[in-house]
Amino acid sequence: MGSTAREEMSRFWEKNSRSNRPLSPHVTIYKWSLPMAMSITHRGTGIALSLGVSLFSLGALLLPEHFPHYLAQVRALSLGPVLIFLAKFSLAVPFSYHTWNGIRHLV
Amino acid sequence: VPAVVLGSALLRRPAALGAAATRCAPARDSHGPPRQGHGSSKAASLHWTGERAVSVLLLGLLPAAYLCPGPAVDYSLAAALTLHGHWGLGQVITDYVHGDTPIKVANTGLYILSALTFAGLCHFNYQDVGICKAVAMLWSL
């Protein structure tokens, strides 16, 4: 019987914080494995996509003009096809990675 | 014999604490069987299920956005995208932010961000071309 898991954990953390123990080197010394790398990339792409959506959303709230206006401005820049491709690619890669890896997590 | 029994019991306690230490933040998402006589909450486990449900929903919305673009998909996308992001960033905060006040501050900030994001997306859907159309237009560049 005794204490709940929550109580045990908070007792552990109080003692641990009090002891000011140094953090184990973990990421700096452990050899990187594929699962580790894929997991942190999933998290990184997730954060990036989320911030991107939020930025887009804030833009929708704050910018004076509508979307087609800004799109026309970009079109007027007459950027080379390579540049446009690279821009689309850099948007598609984190989105695709996060989506497919996400499916992997779901199954 | 009593010393051996005591020794193994003492070894088991630190191991349990060690297992708890593999989580960066205490309490929060602990699963495990509910103890007798203590209030056991299914909140964490329901949250987990909810996260998977929203993920599946969002996944389904992607082909829907491509095949049947329109306001229904637009608003569903706005909701699912915001919620999925909110819960995802919430897990990131739970993993990396420690200490009662920083956790509270971070989560409050997250709520504000998610609320603004949802508002912005809905506004975009209502006043502007909508998410599906916007992606199509962007990709036609």
Side-chain angles (χ1 to χ4, degrees):
Chain A
M1 286 301 293
S3 52
T4 61
R6 188 182 290 258
E7 287 168 22
E8 279 186 22
M9 282 192 264
S10 66
R11 251 189 280 132
F12 167 83
W13 274 105
E14 280 161 27
K15 176 175 171 208
N16 201 38
S17 322
R18 241 183 297 126
S19 324
N20 284 325
R21 293 173 177 156
L23 187 62
S24 160
H26 67 296
V27 284
T28 45
I29 59 165
Y30 279 31
K31 183 175 159 70
W32 277 94
S33 60
L34 185 63
M36 274 168 79
M38 289 185 74
S39 174
I40 193 64
T41 312
H42 188 81
R43 177 159 274 190
T45 51
I47 296 174
L49 289 166
S50 219
L51 294 181
V53 168
S54 291
L55 231 69
F56 174 81
S57 186
L58 290 175
L61 286 171
L62 299 172
L63 294 172
E65 295 292 340
H66 280 190
F67 187 71
H69 173 94
Y70 295 111
L71 209 60
Q73 278 189 326
V74 173
R75 193 166 273 142
L77 293 173
S78 302
L79 299 167
V82 175
L83 218 57
I84 295 191
F85 177 80
L86 284 177
K88 291 183 182 176
F89 191 73
S90 61
L91 277 178
V93 164
F95 181 81
S96 306
Y97 179 86
H98 191 84
T99 305
W100 292 111
N101 202 343
I103 295 175
R104 199 173 66 89
H105 274 109
L106 282 175
V107 304
Chain B
V1 166
V4 171
V5 169
L6 192 61
S8 62
L10 283 174
L11 279 172
R12 245 180 284 122
R13 276 287 286 180
L17 294 175
T22 60
R23 294 176 181 283
C24 291
R28 289 302 197 94
D29 276 305
S30 53
H31 301 278
R35 279 184 141 86
Q36 304 287 46
H38 292 270
S40 64
S41 162
K42 286 197 74 180
S45 146
L46 287 173
H47 183 254
W48 186 92
T49 309
E51 285 180 330
R52 314 299 123 163
V54 168
S55 299
V56 172
L57 179 70
L58 187 56
L59 200 58
L61 283 174
L62 297 180
Y66 184 72
L67 299 169
C68 331
V73 177
D74 278 341
Y75 284 101
S76 309
L77 264 179
L81 213 53
T82 323
L83 191 54
H84 183 75
H86 179 78
W87 279 343
L89 289 175
Q91 294 290 1
V92 174
I93 291 177
T94 308
D95 278 352
Y96 300 135
V97 179
H98 308 296
D100 286 323
T101 314
I103 289 178
K104 200 179 285 186
V105 169
N107 278 317
T108 310
L110 178 62
Y111 261 107
I112 297 174
L113 181 68
S114 297
L116 285 174
T117 304
F118 185 59
L121 288 178
C122 286
H123 176 88
F124 187 78
N125 282 333
Y126 191 71
Q127 295 287 2
D128 213 319
V129 293
I131 299 177
C132 298
K133 193 82 176 64
V135 174
M137 289 170 77
L138 184 67
W139 231 249
S140 74
L141 214 55

